[in-house]
Amino acid sequence: MNTTPLNNQIRDKSTTIKSMIILALLFFIFGLVSWVNTILIPYFQLTLQLSNFQSYLVTFAFYIAYLVMAVPSSFLLNKVGYKKGMMFGLWCMAVGALLFVPAAYWRIYQIFLLGLFLLGVGLAILQSAANPYVTIVGPIESAAKRMSIVGTGNKLAGVIANLIFAAVVIRESDRILMREIESGAYSGEALETALDTLIKGVITPYLILGIALFIFGIIVRYSVLPELDPSVVNKRSSEDEKSHKSIFQYPDLILGVVAMFFHVGTQMIALGTSIQYAGTMGESLAGPAKNIPSYTMFLTFIGYFIGIALIPKYLQQRNALLICASINLVLSALIITTSGTVHFLGLTTDISLWFLVMMGLPNALLYAGIWPLAIDGLGKYTNLGSAFLVMALSGSAIMPIIYNSFVEMNASLSPFAAMKQGYWILIPCFAYIVWYAACGYKIKSWTGK
């Protein structure tokens, strides 16, 4: 385990606390921009009249940017430093948010996808900087606790993102209009006019968001955040650095990247399909079903506080990862195998929907557990290793499409049964994360030496 002392810049406790506050604000922005996608999927599916496949491209365009931009982001950060890199990331996000204005005005699906992609590019840069920053700004043993602290900002945004979107974008008159469109009350020119009216609701919120992101980029650039040298604060030993000539010689990192891919992919499946899954049970986006992702995010928010309280004083971060992955493995099995009608929070649904929602609680400590285990001791490869982990966030783009393929394979069944069978994909993903938490992270050499 890394015991190298931190550099002089971050020995000042006051500076560290201020840095954590700024990082928590950054993670809040991550959540605000990312988790609203869970309601954008059904919202765009209605207002842009998309097929199921086209609606999943909403998250694909956003998260595929992680795969495309993560490695270039690491080189950018090596060249300009963390703070300036974060500013560039926020500015890129600002451009993406501002593209929603012309996209909504003309109701052009492709411009929305471009805006989402640029939001993802900006987040890829920010994630490449912020996640390793949180990991190495203090002792590696308590990294999961720090990830949980800043993660509360991320998941708080996740709790309120859909509520804000629903309150600001979907007004009461819009809800009535949405129900009428869903019932087939409009067609032809009348339908086009109604859809134009609905989609323009996103213009003002995303215009404000774009301006705010640009200003916050300047604030971060000139903030008290210290510039860290990961080659100094996150190395194992000089012997390790001499023997490792490539990032691919760190099996614990590569295996961790796969675990991260499965984690974020399954998380997006649970969040991104929950409203549609409720829809197969007769619940509508115009009704209380729109709040389902917020319930999941609220549980994740609670999970972060549990992590802050327990890690590392009462629970090692690796054990927390093992326990939480095991819980989600059990919940996955319950989604597929159980059935029964439940009346809860104004919704009448199958009990399996609530097992899907409950995944939010253990999900809180999966990300916080995988990242420090995978990145520990990378030294000069810290930025590149972080980029690999950020690339794994593309699982949020790819896994829902794979899930949709499973659903379409069961198209002969009812929509409810087809979606339920699709959740089989969760089982091997969580089984792999359990294995990584149990022993995969210990593998330091591909030869087993």
Side-chain angles (χ1 to χ4, degrees), residues 227-289:
E227 287 287 0
L228 303 183
D229 184 355
S231 65
V232 173
V233 300
N234 188 41
K235 63 180 182 180
R236 293 174 185 171
S237 67
S238 57
E239 290 78 11
D240 270 353
E241 291 217 337
K242 289 177 182 177
S243 62
H244 290 73
K245 304 298 182 184
S246 165
I247 191 73
F248 296 103
Q249 290 180 297
Y250 292 88
D252 45 340
L253 167 69
I254 303 304
L255 296 172
V257 168
V258 177
M260 185 66 76
F261 180 91
F262 285 153
H263 160 53
V264 297
T266 53
Q267 181 173 242
M268 183 50 65
I269 288 172
L271 281 165
T273 66
S274 58
I275 294 177
Q276 289 173 300
Y277 190 42
T280 66
M281 307 168 203
E283 297 292 344
S284 169
L285 176 62

Short mmCIF file of all heavy atoms in Angstrom, two decimals, residues 227-289:
data_model
loop_
_atom_site.label_atom_id
_atom_site.label_comp_id
_atom_site.label_asym_id
_atom_site.label_seq_id
_atom_site.Cartn_x
_atom_site.Cartn_y
_atom_site.Cartn_z
N GLU A 227 -1.64 22.33 -7.38
CA GLU A 227 -1.24 21.44 -8.47
C GLU A 227 -0.48 20.26 -7.87
O GLU A 227 0.50 20.46 -7.15
CB GLU A 227 -0.36 22.17 -9.48
CG GLU A 227 -1.10 23.17 -10.35
CD GLU A 227 -1.97 22.52 -11.42
OE1 GLU A 227 -2.01 21.27 -11.48
OE2 GLU A 227 -2.64 23.26 -12.16
N LEU A 228 -0.93 19.03 -8.13
CA LEU A 228 -0.30 17.84 -7.57
C LEU A 228 0.55 17.15 -8.62
O LEU A 228 0.25 17.18 -9.81
CB LEU A 228 -1.36 16.87 -7.06
CG LEU A 228 -2.34 17.39 -6.00
CD1 LEU A 228 -3.27 16.28 -5.57
CD2 LEU A 228 -1.59 17.95 -4.81
N ASP A 229 1.62 16.51 -8.16
CA ASP A 229 2.46 15.71 -9.03
C ASP A 229 2.24 14.24 -8.68
O ASP A 229 2.78 13.74 -7.70
CB ASP A 229 3.94 16.08 -8.84
CG ASP A 229 4.86 15.32 -9.80
OD1 ASP A 229 4.35 14.46 -10.54
OD2 ASP A 229 6.07 15.60 -9.80
N PRO A 230 1.41 13.52 -9.46
CA PRO A 230 1.07 12.13 -9.12
C PRO A 230 2.28 11.21 -9.12
O PRO A 230 2.27 10.17 -8.47
CB PRO A 230 0.06 11.74 -10.20
CG PRO A 230 0.26 12.69 -11.31
CD PRO A 230 0.72 13.97 -10.68
N SER A 231 3.33 11.55 -9.85
CA SER A 231 4.51 10.69 -9.87
C SER A 231 5.22 10.71 -8.52
O SER A 231 6.02 9.83 -8.22
CB SER A 231 5.47 11.14 -10.97
OG SER A 231 5.98 12.43 -10.69
N VAL A 232 4.91 11.72 -7.69
CA VAL A 232 5.52 11.83 -6.37
C VAL A 232 4.61 11.25 -5.30
O VAL A 232 5.05 10.53 -4.41
CB VAL A 232 5.84 13.31 -6.05
CG1 VAL A 232 6.33 13.46 -4.61
CG2 VAL A 232 6.87 13.86 -7.02
N VAL A 233 3.29 11.55 -5.39
CA VAL A 233 2.39 11.19 -4.30
C VAL A 233 1.67 9.87 -4.49
O VAL A 233 0.93 9.45 -3.62
CB VAL A 233 1.34 12.32 -4.08
CG1 VAL A 233 2.01 13.61 -3.73
CG2 VAL A 233 0.46 12.47 -5.30
N ASN A 234 1.86 9.18 -5.60
CA ASN A 234 1.11 7.94 -5.83
C ASN A 234 1.98 6.88 -6.50
O ASN A 234 1.61 6.31 -7.52
CB ASN A 234 -0.13 8.22 -6.70
CG ASN A 234 -1.04 7.01 -6.82
OD1 ASN A 234 -1.26 6.30 -5.84
ND2 ASN A 234 -1.55 6.77 -8.01
N LYS A 235 3.13 6.59 -5.92
CA LYS A 235 3.99 5.55 -6.48
C LYS A 235 4.19 4.45 -5.46
O LYS A 235 4.04 4.64 -4.25
CB LYS A 235 5.33 6.12 -6.92
CG LYS A 235 6.19 6.71 -5.80
CD LYS A 235 7.49 7.24 -6.38
CE LYS A 235 8.38 7.80 -5.26
NZ LYS A 235 9.66 8.32 -5.79
N ARG A 236 4.52 3.25 -5.96
CA ARG A 236 4.73 2.11 -5.07
C ARG A 236 6.16 2.08 -4.55
O ARG A 236 6.43 2.20 -3.38
CB ARG A 236 4.38 0.80 -5.81
CG ARG A 236 2.91 0.68 -6.13
CD ARG A 236 2.59 -0.53 -6.97
NE ARG A 236 1.18 -0.53 -7.36
CZ ARG A 236 0.64 -1.35 -8.22
NH1 ARG A 236 1.36 -2.28 -8.81
NH2 ARG A 236 -0.64 -1.27 -8.51
N SER A 237 7.10 1.87 -5.45
CA SER A 237 8.51 1.87 -5.09
C SER A 237 9.31 2.11 -6.35
O SER A 237 8.82 1.96 -7.47
CB SER A 237 8.91 0.52 -4.48
OG SER A 237 8.82 -0.51 -5.45
N SER A 238 10.56 2.49 -6.17
CA SER A 238 11.40 2.75 -7.34
C SER A 238 11.63 1.47 -8.12
O SER A 238 11.75 1.48 -9.35
CB SER A 238 12.75 3.35 -6.89
OG SER A 238 13.39 2.48 -5.96
N GLU A 239 11.67 0.32 -7.42
CA GLU A 239 11.85 -0.96 -8.11
C GLU A 239 10.65 -1.25 -9.01
O GLU A 239 10.79 -1.73 -10.13
CB GLU A 239 12.01 -2.09 -7.09
CG GLU A 239 13.33 -2.07 -6.33
CD GLU A 239 13.34 -1.04 -5.21
OE1 GLU A 239 12.25 -0.48 -4.88
OE2 GLU A 239 14.41 -0.75 -4.67
N ASP A 240 9.44 -0.96 -8.51
CA ASP A 240 8.23 -1.17 -9.31
C ASP A 240 8.26 -0.31 -10.57
O ASP A 240 7.92 -0.76 -11.65
CB ASP A 240 6.98 -0.82 -8.49
CG ASP A 240 6.44 -2.03 -7.74
OD1 ASP A 240 6.96 -3.14 -7.97
OD2 ASP A 240 5.52 -1.86 -6.93
N GLU A 241 8.65 0.95 -10.40
CA GLU A 241 8.66 1.86 -11.55
C GLU A 241 9.66 1.42 -12.60
O GLU A 241 9.43 1.58 -13.79
CB GLU A 241 8.96 3.29 -11.09
CG GLU A 241 7.83 3.90 -10.27
CD GLU A 241 7.64 5.37 -10.55
OE1 GLU A 241 8.60 6.02 -11.00
OE2 GLU A 241 6.52 5.87 -10.33
N LYS A 242 10.77 0.85 -12.15
CA LYS A 242 11.78 0.38 -13.11
C LYS A 242 11.30 -0.86 -13.85
O LYS A 242 11.59 -1.05 -15.04
CB LYS A 242 13.08 0.07 -12.38
CG LYS A 242 13.81 1.31 -11.87
CD LYS A 242 15.05 0.95 -11.08
CE LYS A 242 15.75 2.19 -10.54
NZ LYS A 242 16.93 1.85 -9.70
N SER A 243 10.53 -1.73 -13.17
CA SER A 243 10.10 -2.99 -13.79
C SER A 243 8.86 -2.82 -14.64
O SER A 243 8.57 -3.65 -15.49
CB SER A 243 9.84 -4.04 -12.70
OG SER A 243 8.80 -3.62 -11.84
N HIS A 244 8.08 -1.75 -14.41
CA HIS A 244 6.86 -1.51 -15.17
C HIS A 244 7.14 -0.46 -16.25
O HIS A 244 7.24 0.72 -15.98
CB HIS A 244 5.73 -1.03 -14.25
CG HIS A 244 5.22 -2.08 -13.32
ND1 HIS A 244 5.94 -2.52 -12.23
CD2 HIS A 244 4.06 -2.80 -13.32
CE1 HIS A 244 5.24 -3.45 -11.59
NE2 HIS A 244 4.10 -3.64 -12.23
N LYS A 245 7.26 -0.93 -17.48
CA LYS A 245 7.57 -0.05 -18.61
C LYS A 245 6.33 0.37 -19.38
O LYS A 245 6.41 1.15 -20.32
CB LYS A 245 8.54 -0.75 -19.56
CG LYS A 245 9.84 -1.24 -18.90
CD LYS A 245 10.64 -0.09 -18.34
CE LYS A 245 11.96 -0.60 -17.73
NZ LYS A 245 12.72 0.51 -17.09
N SER A 246 5.16 -0.17 -18.99
CA SER A 246 3.93 0.12 -19.71
C SER A 246 2.76 0.09 -18.74
O SER A 246 2.78 -0.64 -17.74
CB SER A 246 3.71 -0.90 -20.83
OG SER A 246 2.39 -0.86 -21.31
N ILE A 247 1.75 0.87 -19.04
CA ILE A 247 0.54 0.89 -18.22
C ILE A 247 -0.14 -0.47 -18.20
O ILE A 247 -0.81 -0.85 -17.24
CB ILE A 247 -0.44 1.97 -18.76
CG1 ILE A 247 -1.59 2.21 -17.77
CG2 ILE A 247 -1.02 1.58 -20.12
CD1 ILE A 247 -1.21 2.97 -16.55
N PHE A 248 0.07 -1.27 -19.25
CA PHE A 248 -0.57 -2.59 -19.34
C PHE A 248 0.11 -3.62 -18.45
O PHE A 248 -0.35 -4.76 -18.37
CB PHE A 248 -0.58 -3.06 -20.79
CG PHE A 248 -1.42 -2.20 -21.69
CD1 PHE A 248 -0.83 -1.28 -22.54
CD2 PHE A 248 -2.81 -2.28 -21.66
CE1 PHE A 248 -1.60 -0.47 -23.35
CE2 PHE A 248 -3.59 -1.48 -22.47
CZ PHE A 248 -2.98 -0.57 -23.33
N GLN A 249 1.19 -3.24 -17.77
CA GLN A 249 1.86 -4.14 -16.83
C GLN A 249 1.30 -4.01 -15.42
O GLN A 249 1.88 -4.53 -14.48
CB GLN A 249 3.37 -3.87 -16.84
CG GLN A 249 4.04 -4.31 -18.14
CD GLN A 249 5.54 -4.03 -18.13
OE1 GLN A 249 5.99 -2.89 -18.06
NE2 GLN A 249 6.33 -5.09 -18.19
N TYR A 250 0.17 -3.31 -15.29
CA TYR A 250 -0.51 -3.19 -14.01
C TYR A 250 -1.86 -3.92 -14.11
O TYR A 250 -2.90 -3.31 -14.40
CB TYR A 250 -0.74 -1.71 -13.66
CG TYR A 250 0.52 -0.95 -13.34
CD1 TYR A 250 1.25 -0.32 -14.35
CD2 TYR A 250 0.98 -0.83 -12.03
CE1 TYR A 250 2.41 0.40 -14.06
CE2 TYR A 250 2.13 -0.12 -11.73
CZ TYR A 250 2.84 0.49 -12.76
OH TYR A 250 3.98 1.20 -12.46
N PRO A 251 -1.89 -5.24 -13.86
CA PRO A 251 -3.13 -6.01 -13.99
C PRO A 251 -4.25 -5.51 -13.10
O PRO A 251 -5.42 -5.55 -13.49
CB PRO A 251 -2.71 -7.43 -13.58
CG PRO A 251 -1.24 -7.46 -13.66
CD PRO A 251 -0.76 -6.07 -13.43
N ASP A 252 -3.89 -5.05 -11.88
CA ASP A 252 -4.93 -4.57 -10.97
C ASP A 252 -5.67 -3.36 -11.56
O ASP A 252 -6.86 -3.17 -11.33
CB ASP A 252 -4.35 -4.23 -9.60
CG ASP A 252 -3.06 -3.43 -9.67
OD1 ASP A 252 -2.40 -3.44 -10.72
OD2 ASP A 252 -2.70 -2.79 -8.66
N LEU A 253 -4.96 -2.55 -12.35
CA LEU A 253 -5.61 -1.44 -13.03
C LEU A 253 -6.51 -1.94 -14.16
O LEU A 253 -7.69 -1.56 -14.24
CB LEU A 253 -4.58 -0.47 -13.61
CG LEU A 253 -5.14 0.56 -14.60
CD1 LEU A 253 -6.03 1.57 -13.88
CD2 LEU A 253 -4.04 1.25 -15.39
N ILE A 254 -5.97 -2.78 -15.04
CA ILE A 254 -6.73 -3.25 -16.21
C ILE A 254 -7.98 -4.00 -15.77
O ILE A 254 -9.08 -3.80 -16.32
CB ILE A 254 -5.86 -4.13 -17.11
CG1 ILE A 254 -4.59 -3.38 -17.54
CG2 ILE A 254 -6.65 -4.59 -18.32
CD1 ILE A 254 -4.84 -2.07 -18.25
N LEU A 255 -7.84 -4.87 -14.77
CA LEU A 255 -9.00 -5.60 -14.25
C LEU A 255 -9.99 -4.65 -13.59
O LEU A 255 -11.20 -4.85 -13.65
CB LEU A 255 -8.54 -6.67 -13.27
CG LEU A 255 -7.66 -7.79 -13.86
CD1 LEU A 255 -7.10 -8.68 -12.74
CD2 LEU A 255 -8.43 -8.63 -14.87
N GLY A 256 -9.46 -3.59 -12.96
CA GLY A 256 -10.32 -2.58 -12.35
C GLY A 256 -11.09 -1.78 -13.39
O GLY A 256 -12.23 -1.37 -13.14
N VAL A 257 -10.47 -1.55 -14.54
CA VAL A 257 -11.15 -0.86 -15.64
C VAL A 257 -12.38 -1.65 -16.08
O VAL A 257 -13.46 -1.09 -16.30
CB VAL A 257 -10.19 -0.62 -16.83
CG1 VAL A 257 -10.95 -0.19 -18.07
CG2 VAL A 257 -9.14 0.42 -16.46
N VAL A 258 -12.23 -2.98 -16.19
CA VAL A 258 -13.36 -3.84 -16.56
C VAL A 258 -14.45 -3.76 -15.49
O VAL A 258 -15.65 -3.67 -15.80
CB VAL A 258 -12.90 -5.30 -16.77
CG1 VAL A 258 -14.09 -6.19 -17.09
CG2 VAL A 258 -11.85 -5.37 -17.87
N ALA A 259 -14.04 -3.79 -14.22
CA ALA A 259 -15.01 -3.69 -13.12
C ALA A 259 -15.76 -2.37 -13.17
O ALA A 259 -16.98 -2.32 -12.97
CB ALA A 259 -14.30 -3.85 -11.78
N MET A 260 -15.03 -1.28 -13.47
CA MET A 260 -15.67 0.04 -13.56
C MET A 260 -16.65 0.08 -14.73
O MET A 260 -17.75 0.65 -14.62
CB MET A 260 -14.60 1.12 -13.72
CG MET A 260 -15.16 2.54 -13.71
SD MET A 260 -15.87 3.02 -12.10
CE MET A 260 -14.36 3.31 -11.16
N PHE A 261 -16.27 -0.52 -15.86
CA PHE A 261 -17.14 -0.58 -17.04
C PHE A 261 -18.46 -1.26 -16.67
O PHE A 261 -19.54 -0.76 -17.00
CB PHE A 261 -16.44 -1.34 -18.16
CG PHE A 261 -17.24 -1.47 -19.43
CD1 PHE A 261 -17.14 -0.52 -20.43
CD2 PHE A 261 -18.09 -2.55 -19.63
CE1 PHE A 261 -17.88 -0.63 -21.60
CE2 PHE A 261 -18.83 -2.68 -20.80
CZ PHE A 261 -18.72 -1.71 -21.79
N PHE A 262 -18.37 -2.40 -15.98
CA PHE A 262 -19.58 -3.13 -15.60
C PHE A 262 -20.39 -2.34 -14.58
O PHE A 262 -21.63 -2.33 -14.63
CB PHE A 262 -19.22 -4.50 -15.04
CG PHE A 262 -18.80 -5.50 -16.09
CD1 PHE A 262 -17.95 -6.56 -15.78
CD2 PHE A 262 -19.26 -5.39 -17.39
CE1 PHE A 262 -17.57 -7.48 -16.74
CE2 PHE A 262 -18.89 -6.31 -18.36
CZ PHE A 262 -18.04 -7.36 -18.04
N HIS A 263 -19.71 -1.69 -13.64
CA HIS A 263 -20.43 -0.94 -12.61
C HIS A 263 -21.25 0.20 -13.20
O HIS A 263 -22.46 0.30 -12.98
CB HIS A 263 -19.46 -0.38 -11.57
CG HIS A 263 -20.03 0.76 -10.79
ND1 HIS A 263 -21.24 0.68 -10.12
CD2 HIS A 263 -19.58 2.04 -10.60
CE1 HIS A 263 -21.50 1.85 -9.54
NE2 HIS A 263 -20.52 2.68 -9.83
N VAL A 264 -20.60 1.09 -13.97
CA VAL A 264 -21.33 2.25 -14.50
C VAL A 264 -22.37 1.81 -15.52
O VAL A 264 -23.44 2.44 -15.65
CB VAL A 264 -20.37 3.29 -15.11
CG1 VAL A 264 -19.44 3.86 -14.04
CG2 VAL A 264 -19.57 2.73 -16.27
N GLY A 265 -22.07 0.72 -16.26
CA GLY A 265 -23.04 0.22 -17.24
C GLY A 265 -24.30 -0.29 -16.58
O GLY A 265 -25.42 0.01 -17.01
N THR A 266 -24.14 -1.08 -15.52
CA THR A 266 -25.31 -1.61 -14.81
C THR A 266 -26.06 -0.51 -14.09
O THR A 266 -27.29 -0.53 -13.99
CB THR A 266 -24.89 -2.69 -13.79
OG1 THR A 266 -23.85 -2.18 -12.94
CG2 THR A 266 -24.38 -3.93 -14.49
N GLN A 267 -25.32 0.48 -13.60
CA GLN A 267 -25.97 1.61 -12.93
C GLN A 267 -26.85 2.39 -13.91
O GLN A 267 -27.98 2.78 -13.57
CB GLN A 267 -24.91 2.55 -12.33
CG GLN A 267 -25.49 3.74 -11.58
CD GLN A 267 -24.42 4.54 -10.87
OE1 GLN A 267 -24.42 4.66 -9.65
NE2 GLN A 267 -23.51 5.11 -11.63
N MET A 268 -26.36 2.59 -15.13
CA MET A 268 -27.15 3.32 -16.13
C MET A 268 -28.34 2.48 -16.59
O MET A 268 -29.41 3.02 -16.88
CB MET A 268 -26.27 3.71 -17.31
CG MET A 268 -27.00 4.54 -18.38
SD MET A 268 -27.92 5.97 -17.72
CE MET A 268 -26.59 6.97 -17.09
N ILE A 269 -28.16 1.17 -16.67
CA ILE A 269 -29.30 0.31 -17.02
C ILE A 269 -30.40 0.47 -15.97
O ILE A 269 -31.58 0.66 -16.29
CB ILE A 269 -28.87 -1.17 -17.12
CG1 ILE A 269 -28.02 -1.39 -18.38
CG2 ILE A 269 -30.09 -2.09 -17.14
CD1 ILE A 269 -27.40 -2.77 -18.47
N ALA A 270 -30.01 0.43 -14.69
CA ALA A 270 -30.99 0.54 -13.61
C ALA A 270 -31.69 1.90 -13.64
O ALA A 270 -32.92 1.98 -13.47
CB ALA A 270 -30.31 0.32 -12.26
N LEU A 271 -30.92 2.96 -13.88
CA LEU A 271 -31.50 4.30 -13.87
C LEU A 271 -32.24 4.61 -15.17
O LEU A 271 -33.35 5.13 -15.18
CB LEU A 271 -30.39 5.34 -13.66
CG LEU A 271 -29.90 5.51 -12.22
CD1 LEU A 271 -28.58 6.27 -12.21
CD2 LEU A 271 -30.92 6.26 -11.39
N GLY A 272 -31.58 4.31 -16.30
CA GLY A 272 -32.09 4.72 -17.60
C GLY A 272 -33.30 3.94 -18.08
O GLY A 272 -34.03 4.42 -18.95
N THR A 273 -33.51 2.75 -17.51
CA THR A 273 -34.65 1.94 -17.96
C THR A 273 -35.80 1.93 -16.96
O THR A 273 -36.86 1.39 -17.25
CB THR A 273 -34.22 0.48 -18.20
OG1 THR A 273 -33.83 -0.13 -16.95
CG2 THR A 273 -33.05 0.41 -19.18
N SER A 274 -35.60 2.52 -15.79
CA SER A 274 -36.60 2.39 -14.72
C SER A 274 -37.94 3.02 -15.10
O SER A 274 -39.01 2.46 -14.81
CB SER A 274 -36.07 2.99 -13.41
OG SER A 274 -35.72 4.35 -13.59
N ILE A 275 -37.90 4.21 -15.73
CA ILE A 275 -39.16 4.86 -16.11
C ILE A 275 -39.87 4.05 -17.19
O ILE A 275 -41.09 3.84 -17.15
CB ILE A 275 -38.90 6.30 -16.59
CG1 ILE A 275 -38.38 7.17 -15.43
CG2 ILE A 275 -40.19 6.91 -17.17
CD1 ILE A 275 -38.04 8.59 -15.84
N GLN A 276 -39.08 3.55 -18.17
CA GLN A 276 -39.68 2.74 -19.23
C GLN A 276 -40.23 1.43 -18.67
O GLN A 276 -41.29 0.95 -19.11
CB GLN A 276 -38.63 2.46 -20.31
CG GLN A 276 -38.28 3.69 -21.14
CD GLN A 276 -37.12 3.40 -22.07
OE1 GLN A 276 -36.02 3.06 -21.65
NE2 GLN A 276 -37.35 3.55 -23.36
N TYR A 277 -39.50 0.85 -17.72
CA TYR A 277 -39.96 -0.40 -17.10
C TYR A 277 -41.29 -0.16 -16.37
O TYR A 277 -42.22 -0.96 -16.48
CB TYR A 277 -38.90 -0.90 -16.13
CG TYR A 277 -39.13 -2.30 -15.60
CD1 TYR A 277 -39.57 -3.33 -16.43
CD2 TYR A 277 -38.86 -2.61 -14.27
CE1 TYR A 277 -39.77 -4.62 -15.94
CE2 TYR A 277 -39.04 -3.89 -13.77
CZ TYR A 277 -39.50 -4.90 -14.61
OH TYR A 277 -39.68 -6.17 -14.13
N ALA A 278 -41.37 0.98 -15.67
CA ALA A 278 -42.64 1.33 -15.01
C ALA A 278 -43.73 1.56 -16.05
O ALA A 278 -44.91 1.27 -15.81
CB ALA A 278 -42.46 2.57 -14.15
N GLY A 279 -43.34 2.07 -17.22
CA GLY A 279 -44.31 2.30 -18.29
C GLY A 279 -44.95 1.02 -18.78
O GLY A 279 -46.12 1.03 -19.20
N THR A 280 -44.22 -0.09 -18.73
CA THR A 280 -44.80 -1.38 -19.15
C THR A 280 -45.83 -1.87 -18.14
O THR A 280 -46.57 -2.82 -18.41
CB THR A 280 -43.71 -2.46 -19.32
OG1 THR A 280 -43.11 -2.75 -18.04
CG2 THR A 280 -42.63 -2.00 -20.29
N MET A 281 -45.86 -1.21 -16.97
CA MET A 281 -46.82 -1.58 -15.92
C MET A 281 -47.97 -0.57 -15.87
O MET A 281 -48.75 -0.57 -14.92
CB MET A 281 -46.11 -1.66 -14.57
CG MET A 281 -44.89 -2.56 -14.57
SD MET A 281 -43.89 -2.37 -13.06
CE MET A 281 -42.29 -2.95 -13.63
N GLY A 282 -48.01 0.34 -16.87
CA GLY A 282 -49.12 1.29 -16.94
C GLY A 282 -48.84 2.65 -16.35
O GLY A 282 -49.73 3.51 -16.32
N GLU A 283 -47.60 2.90 -15.88
CA GLU A 283 -47.25 4.20 -15.32
C GLU A 283 -46.69 5.10 -16.42
O GLU A 283 -45.98 4.64 -17.32
CB GLU A 283 -46.24 4.06 -14.18
CG GLU A 283 -46.76 3.27 -12.99
CD GLU A 283 -47.86 4.01 -12.23
OE1 GLU A 283 -48.01 5.24 -12.43
OE2 GLU A 283 -48.59 3.36 -11.45
N SER A 284 -46.97 6.42 -16.34
CA SER A 284 -46.60 7.35 -17.40
C SER A 284 -45.55 8.35 -16.92
O SER A 284 -45.48 8.69 -15.73
CB SER A 284 -47.84 8.12 -17.88
OG SER A 284 -47.49 9.20 -18.71
N LEU A 285 -44.74 8.84 -17.86
CA LEU A 285 -43.75 9.89 -17.56
C LEU A 285 -44.45 11.14 -17.04
O LEU A 285 -43.88 11.89 -16.25
CB LEU A 285 -42.95 10.23 -18.83
CG LEU A 285 -41.94 11.38 -18.73
CD1 LEU A 285 -40.85 11.07 -17.72
CD2 LEU A 285 -41.33 11.67 -20.10
N ALA A 286 -45.67 11.38 -17.49
CA ALA A 286 -46.42 12.55 -17.04
C ALA A 286 -46.90 12.40 -15.60
O ALA A 286 -47.34 13.37 -14.98
CB ALA A 286 -47.61 12.80 -17.96
N GLY A 287 -46.82 11.21 -15.04
CA GLY A 287 -47.27 10.95 -13.67
C GLY A 287 -46.09 10.79 -12.72
O GLY A 287 -44.98 11.24 -12.99
N PRO A 288 -46.30 10.10 -11.59
CA PRO A 288 -45.24 9.95 -10.57
C PRO A 288 -44.05 9.11 -11.03
O PRO A 288 -43.01 9.10 -10.36
CB PRO A 288 -45.96 9.28 -9.39
CG PRO A 288 -47.19 8.66 -9.98
CD PRO A 288 -47.58 9.54 -11.13
N ALA A 289 -44.16 8.41 -12.16
CA ALA A 289 -43.04 7.59 -12.64
C ALA A 289 -41.81 8.43 -12.95
O ALA A 289 -40.69 7.93 -12.90
CB ALA A 289 -43.46 6.81 -13.89
#
